[in-house]
Amino acid sequence: MAETFYIVHNEEIWFRYRNNLPRLLLAITRHIHAETMRILEEHRGYKGLRVSFAPYMSIIGAGNTKLSTLADELGITKQAASQTLTELEKMGYITRIASEKDGRSKQLQITPSGIKMLDDGLLAYQTVESELKEFTPQAELQSAYKSLRSICT
């Protein structure tokens, strides 16, 4: 009897694990990230990119960004942000420009190479999204988008 309960209980746990919204959203996100990175590397020739660069590039791309602002938005220390910024700078995607008001302060800007990488990233993402649309009926996809937008706002 106890063994039957154990098997049923494990099946229930497995079902709940496999069929909960947060896990499914994470799985989709991981798939989109992995496929986008694969396209950028294999078809666009990028090397050394990491998914973790995306929030940095998005925030810097919005303009008028200082290290302290970036770190605050990311919820990390200035030192941690600076390490990743150094990588992005070495790769040629961002630059640090001395502030006109305070020479010690640096403004972060995306370079033309960074803009191209963001554009290519968006195209790669759109490719992945269109591939996902092939497997999902349009009405279901529209309903999912609507539901997700309402959850996220």
Side-chain angles (χ1 to χ4, degrees):
M1 180 85 167
E3 187 176 315
T4 304
F5 171 76
Y6 179 75
I7 292 169
V8 171
H9 185 68
N10 279 344
E11 288 175 3
E12 179 185 335
I13 290 171
W14 181 246
F15 178 81
R16 287 192 336 232
Y17 169 75
R18 299 281 303 161
N19 295 289
N20 70 76
L21 182 62
R23 195 200 72 74
L24 294 172
L25 292 173
L26 284 171
I28 290 168
T29 300
R30 285 185 187 122
H31 172 77
I32 291 169
H33 285 162
E35 283 299 298
T36 300
M37 295 302 289
R38 185 188 64 75
I39 291 168
L40 287 171
E41 290 173 358
E42 293 178 10
H43 299 285
R44 301 286 186 180
Y46 289 94
K47 301 289 181 232
L49 290 182
R50 291 185 291 158
V51 171
S52 62
F53 291 161
Y56 287 80
M57 298 298 288
S58 294
I59 293 168
I60 296 167
N64 273 341
T65 306
K66 296 188 300 185
L67 174 60
S68 58
T69 305
L70 177 73
D72 287 346
E73 287 208 32
L74 293 173
I76 60 176
T77 65
K78 289 191 287 187
Q79 293 81 5
S82 187
Q83 287 179 337
T84 300
L85 291 172
T86 298
E87 287 183 68
L88 289 168
E89 195 169 25
K90 285 179 182 176
M91 296 170 92
Y93 299 133
I94 67 147
T95 188
R96 301 177 209 214
I97 299 172
S99 171
E100 293 176 10
K101 295 177 185 176
D102 178 5
R104 296 172 297 157
S105 178
K106 305 277 189 198
Q107 287 293 117
L108 305 170
Q109 290 186 342
I110 293 182
T111 64
S113 294
I115 292 170
K116 180 174 181 353
M117 187 265 293
L118 287 173
D119 288 344
D120 287 344
L122 180 59
L123 290 173
Y125 169 76
Q126 290 170 338
T127 299
V128 174
E129 185 180 32
S130 68
E131 290 170 357
L132 290 173
K133 288 178 179 179
E134 291 176 19
F135 299 102
T136 309
Q138 186 65 25
E140 287 181 28
L141 197 57
Q142 291 299 331
S143 177
Y145 279 142
K146 183 178 178 183
S147 296
L148 290 170
R149 272 194 225 79
S150 69
I151 290 169
C152 294
T153 56

